């Protein structure tokens, strides 16, 4: 078998193994190891493969992963999510559809602390779904707004997927965090617009909530000062070059733990549970990175990227046409695979392809993560859809799916805007000198 043929076959085998519920780390490691030995021979391939797992997790930037995970875990246990939700609800909850919009706004705020889509959806869902049901919101609008809002945790800094993208491609974590801010705000605005359009057409989907007095609004906003301070300290520290991303992660982890202590939420049981959760999530990500490094070495040996590049150049497609093919590929793959698996499996060859035809690597990273977000809410495997169903009693997956289409439409509009106006992603990195 020629190396050029081994690459596509190996990629197909990995996708098939994932579809059969084989863990992605194991699927990539198995195919990467066997394929590398097949192409490169036993002696040379095993020498390289014996070093790759260590190199994959000993990168200088890897320490930010457990630190940001720790920050998100203890932000959840401290109760920051409930206060963020009540604060945004006090401001806009009296609008028609306002509580669903508040859910999206709170998801954006919590995503800036948590960095995980699934955790954001689960945490905000536990707070928001009972409230929206009590206010007679349609289950389809309520659950879909939580599922869509949860995807903001993937994009808004500090995003775990952006960190992994930076590690795999060699791009700057700080530059990616800066690039993600405006697209994240755009996503929040478009999701709120999707809610507004629905309730203007069918007011019964999201009745107006009670109006808060000025004093009640001040009180609600006063309860989120610590969350706001933590966000400004971590993200502002990176943007202002006060902290490196690693130092900012350490500050965020320490700040989340301090807030948990000051709020009286830290017990011995919570501490042990939080540390175990951090270790478990970190171990899972590290194992996936080991598998990705083995698989990517196999892809390099197979020359799959150069074959793809040559084939695309021979086709005569313009760069925009190639980019649209990549987006369609991710949208289709997102119907069957979670976003983390999708990005780690494909990002290295597609990054090389995209940058090779002239696209900016930072901008491409934001676009990839944006498209990966869509996969989180795309049936049949959209992970956020099942998370909302799991945390909400008596909610069918069909109900969630029925409400998600307007939010997917908002995502497609956002992708088009990012393609038409790359400066939305690139302005802040250039402004801050990354």
């Amino acid at each position: 078998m020629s190396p050029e043929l081994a690459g596509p076959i190996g990629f197909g085998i990995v996708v098939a193994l994932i579809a059969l519920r084989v863990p992605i780390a194991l699927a990539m490691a198995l195919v990467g190891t066997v394929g590398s030995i097949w192409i490169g021979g036993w002696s040379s391939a095993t020498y390289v493969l014996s070093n790759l797992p260590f190199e994959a997790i000993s990168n200088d930037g890897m320490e930010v992963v457990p630190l940001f995970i720790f920050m998100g875990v203890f932000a959840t246990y401290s109760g920051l999510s409930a206060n963020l939700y009540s604060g945004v609800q006090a401001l806009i909850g009296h609008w028609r559809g306002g509580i669903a919009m508040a859910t999206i706004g709170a998801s954006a705020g919590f995503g800036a602390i948590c960095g995980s889509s699934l955790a954001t959806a689960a945490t905000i869902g536990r707070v928001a779904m009972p409230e929206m049901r009590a206010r007679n919101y349609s289950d389809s609008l309520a659950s879909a707004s939580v599922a869509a809002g949860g995807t903001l945790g993937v994009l808004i800094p500090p995003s775990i997927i952006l960190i992994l993208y930076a590690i795999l491609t060699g791009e700057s974590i700080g530059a990616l965090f800066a690039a993600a801010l405006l697209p994240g705000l755009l996503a929040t605005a478009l999701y709120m617009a999707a809610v507004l359009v629905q309730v203007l057409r069918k007011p019964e989907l999201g009745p107006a909530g009670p109006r808060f007095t000025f004093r009640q609004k001040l009180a609600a906003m006063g309860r989120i000062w610590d969350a706001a301070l933590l966000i400004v300290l971590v993200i502002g520290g990176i943007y202002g070059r006060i902290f490196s991303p690693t130092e900012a992660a350490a500050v965020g982890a320490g700040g989340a733990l301090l807030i948990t202590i000051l709020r009286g939420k830290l017990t011995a049981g919570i501490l042990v549970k939080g540390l175990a959760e951090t270790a478990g999530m970190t171990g899972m990500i590290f194992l996936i990175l080991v598998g990705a490094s083995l698989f990517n070495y196999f892809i390099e040996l197979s020359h799959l990227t150069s074959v793809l590049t040559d084939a695309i150049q021979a086709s005569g497609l313009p760069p925009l046409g190639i980019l649209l093919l990549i987006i369609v590929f991710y949208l289709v793959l997102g119907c069957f695979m979670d976003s983390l698996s999708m990005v780690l499996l494909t990002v290295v060859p597609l990054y090389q392809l995209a940058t090779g035809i002239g696209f900016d690597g930072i901008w491409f990273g934001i676009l990839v993560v944006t498209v990966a977000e869509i996969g989180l809410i795309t049936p049949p495997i959209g992970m956020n859809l099942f998370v909302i169903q799991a945390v909400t009693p008596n909610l069918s997956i069909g109900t969630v799916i029925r409400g998600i289409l307007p939010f997917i439409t908002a995502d497609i509009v956002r992708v088009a805007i990012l393609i038409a106006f790359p400066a939305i992603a690139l302005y802040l990195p250039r402004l801050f000198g990354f």
Side-chain angles (χ1 to χ4, degrees):
M1 181 189 302
S2 67
E4 291 78 8
L5 187 60
I9 291 176
F11 186 88
I13 292 174
V14 171
V15 174
L17 290 174
I18 293 171
L20 293 172
R21 303 295 184 182
V22 175
I24 181 175
L26 180 59
M28 289 194 296
L30 181 62
V31 173
T33 301
V34 173
S36 297
I37 293 173
W38 180 275
I39 296 174
W42 182 266
S43 58
S44 60
T46 51
Y47 175 77
V48 175
L49 294 175
S50 64
N51 293 294
L52 282 179
F54 174 77
E55 293 175 359
I57 59 176
S58 61
N59 185 293
D60 288 341
M62 285 302 297
E63 58 266 27
V64 303
V65 175
L67 289 171
F68 276 131
I69 290 174
F70 182 96
M71 182 177 79
V73 166
F74 282 92
T76 302
Y77 287 132
S78 69
L80 285 178
S81 57
N83 285 349
L84 280 168
Y85 178 73
S86 63
V88 181
Q89 183 187 2
L91 294 178
I92 62 175
H94 60 282
W95 298 351
R96 186 176 295 164
I99 302 178
M101 295 182 198
T103 298
I104 293 166
S107 297
F110 190 70
I113 300 172
C114 177
S116 165
S117 172
L118 300 183
T120 299
T123 303
I124 298 296
R126 290 189 182 99
V127 178
M129 284 302 296
E131 178 70 14
M132 285 191 278
R133 279 181 161 180
R135 303 294 178 187
N136 296 318
Y137 270 61
S138 161
D139 268 359
S140 60
L141 174 61
S143 58
S145 63
V146 177
T151 65
L152 298 172
V154 171
L155 181 60
I156 293 179
S159 161
I160 298 299
I161 288 189
L162 282 178
I163 293 171
L164 298 180
Y165 176 91
I167 291 169
L168 289 172
T169 62
E171 296 286 359
S172 162
I173 294 175
L176 284 164
F177 280 5
L181 182 59
L182 293 182
L185 295 176
L186 175 64
T188 305
L190 287 173
Y191 282 160
M192 289 185 175
V195 173
L196 180 61
V197 169
Q198 291 180 80
V199 297
L200 286 177
R201 292 180 58 203
K202 295 182 178 180
E204 68 275 10
L205 292 178
R211 183 180 292 273
F212 286 72
T213 66
F214 181 71
R215 181 173 294 180
Q216 288 173 324
K217 290 180 180 180
L218 283 180
M221 296 304 294
R223 288 193 291 271
I224 68 172
W225 69 269
D226 46 6
L229 179 62
L230 186 61
I231 294 170
V232 170
L233 191 62
V234 173
I235 305 303
I238 294 175
Y239 291 172
R241 296 297 189 94
I242 300 171
F243 308 133
S244 68
T246 302
E247 292 166 341
V251 169
L257 183 61
L258 180 61
I259 290 172
T260 309
I261 294 171
L262 294 177
R263 290 189 170 192
K265 300 292 183 69
L266 186 67
T267 64
I270 290 295
L271 180 61
V272 171
K273 188 176 179 181
L275 290 173
E277 190 173 337
T278 301
M281 292 177 66
T282 302
M284 177 196 70
I285 290 173
F286 278 23
L287 282 174
I288 292 175
L289 282 172
V290 168
S293 69
L294 296 172
F295 183 73
N296 288 333
Y297 178 66
F298 159 64
I299 292 297
E300 289 176 12
L301 287 179
S302 71
H303 306 296
L304 177 60
T305 304
S306 59
V307 169
L308 283 175
T309 303
D310 292 342
I312 289 172
Q313 289 175 345
S315 71
L317 285 174
L320 181 59
I322 297 169
L323 184 66
L324 292 177
L325 285 178
I326 293 174
I327 291 172
V328 170
F329 169 73
Y330 270 124
L331 290 176
V332 173
L333 202 60
C335 294
F336 307 98
M337 191 179 296
D338 67 272
S339 59
L340 181 63
S341 303
M342 185 167 57
V343 170
L344 291 179
L345 179 63
T346 61
V347 71
V348 171
L350 291 182
Y351 168 84
Q352 294 171 350
L353 174 62
T355 54
I357 58 176
F359 290 112
D360 184 273
I362 296 293
W363 173 83
F364 183 71
I366 300 303
L367 187 67
V368 164
V369 172
T370 297
V371 178
E373 282 184 66
I374 303 177
L376 289 168
I377 56 175
T378 303
I381 307 295
M383 297 297 291
N384 278 15
L385 308 181
F386 293 98
V387 168
I388 300 308
Q389 184 195 29
V391 302
T392 307
N394 304 316
L395 179 69
S396 70
I397 192 65
T399 299
V400 189
I401 291 174
R402 281 196 300 273
I404 207 65
L405 182 59
F407 296 97
I408 294 177
T409 303
D411 277 329
I412 293 173
V413 171
R414 175 159 50 111
V415 169
I417 292 173
L418 286 174
I419 293 173
F421 305 101
I424 293 175
L426 297 177
Y427 173 71
L428 288 182
R430 291 169 181 168
L431 179 65
F432 295 125
F434 287 106

PDB file of all heavy atoms in Angstrom, residues 52 56 189 200 228 304 359:
ATOM      1  N   LEU A  52       7.197  10.610  21.166  1.00  0.00           N
ATOM      2  CA  LEU A  52       6.079  11.505  20.893  1.00  0.00           C
ATOM      3  C   LEU A  52       5.114  11.680  22.078  1.00  0.00           C
ATOM      4  O   LEU A  52       4.698  12.808  22.350  1.00  0.00           O
ATOM      5  CB  LEU A  52       5.302  11.013  19.670  1.00  0.00           C
ATOM      6  CG  LEU A  52       5.936  11.317  18.310  1.00  0.00           C
ATOM      7  CD1 LEU A  52       5.078  10.747  17.192  1.00  0.00           C
ATOM      8  CD2 LEU A  52       6.108  12.821  18.121  1.00  0.00           C
ATOM      9  N   ALA A  56       4.252  15.345  23.573  1.00  0.00           N
ATOM     10  CA  ALA A  56       2.899  15.880  23.408  1.00  0.00           C
ATOM     11  C   ALA A  56       2.390  16.562  24.672  1.00  0.00           C
ATOM     12  O   ALA A  56       1.629  17.535  24.600  1.00  0.00           O
ATOM     13  CB  ALA A  56       1.939  14.748  23.011  1.00  0.00           C
ATOM     14  N   ALA A 189     -24.630  38.206  20.653  1.00  0.00           N
ATOM     15  CA  ALA A 189     -25.626  39.118  20.086  1.00  0.00           C
ATOM     16  C   ALA A 189     -26.536  38.401  19.090  1.00  0.00           C
ATOM     17  O   ALA A 189     -27.764  38.606  19.079  1.00  0.00           O
ATOM     18  CB  ALA A 189     -24.935  40.303  19.425  1.00  0.00           C
ATOM     19  N   LEU A 200     -40.991  37.579  18.638  1.00  0.00           N
ATOM     20  CA  LEU A 200     -41.766  38.563  17.878  1.00  0.00           C
ATOM     21  C   LEU A 200     -42.778  37.851  16.983  1.00  0.00           C
ATOM     22  O   LEU A 200     -43.901  38.342  16.780  1.00  0.00           O
ATOM     23  CB  LEU A 200     -40.838  39.429  17.033  1.00  0.00           C
ATOM     24  CG  LEU A 200     -40.011  40.481  17.797  1.00  0.00           C
ATOM     25  CD1 LEU A 200     -39.079  41.214  16.842  1.00  0.00           C
ATOM     26  CD2 LEU A 200     -40.928  41.467  18.526  1.00  0.00           C
ATOM     27  N   ALA A 228     -17.061  39.197  37.881  1.00  0.00           N
ATOM     28  CA  ALA A 228     -16.573  40.202  36.933  1.00  0.00           C
ATOM     29  C   ALA A 228     -15.098  40.508  37.173  1.00  0.00           C
ATOM     30  O   ALA A 228     -14.310  40.652  36.223  1.00  0.00           O
ATOM     31  CB  ALA A 228     -17.410  41.479  37.054  1.00  0.00           C
ATOM     32  N   LEU A 304      -0.327  13.053   3.499  1.00  0.00           N
ATOM     33  CA  LEU A 304      -1.717  13.342   3.170  1.00  0.00           C
ATOM     34  C   LEU A 304      -1.937  14.832   2.911  1.00  0.00           C
ATOM     35  O   LEU A 304      -2.653  15.214   1.983  1.00  0.00           O
ATOM     36  CB  LEU A 304      -2.639  12.871   4.309  1.00  0.00           C
ATOM     37  CG  LEU A 304      -4.130  13.178   4.153  1.00  0.00           C
ATOM     38  CD1 LEU A 304      -4.687  12.528   2.899  1.00  0.00           C
ATOM     39  CD2 LEU A 304      -4.900  12.712   5.387  1.00  0.00           C
ATOM     40  N   PHE A 359      -4.284  31.814   4.148  1.00  0.00           N
ATOM     41  CA  PHE A 359      -5.149  32.251   5.240  1.00  0.00           C
ATOM     42  C   PHE A 359      -4.349  32.416   6.531  1.00  0.00           C
ATOM     43  O   PHE A 359      -3.397  31.663   6.791  1.00  0.00           O
ATOM     44  CB  PHE A 359      -6.297  31.265   5.461  1.00  0.00           C
ATOM     45  CG  PHE A 359      -7.316  31.259   4.357  1.00  0.00           C
ATOM     46  CD1 PHE A 359      -7.453  30.157   3.531  1.00  0.00           C
ATOM     47  CD2 PHE A 359      -8.111  32.370   4.119  1.00  0.00           C
ATOM     48  CE1 PHE A 359      -8.384  30.141   2.504  1.00  0.00           C
ATOM     49  CE2 PHE A 359      -9.046  32.371   3.098  1.00  0.00           C
ATOM     50  CZ  PHE A 359      -9.180  31.254   2.283  1.00  0.00           C
TER      51      PHE A 359
END
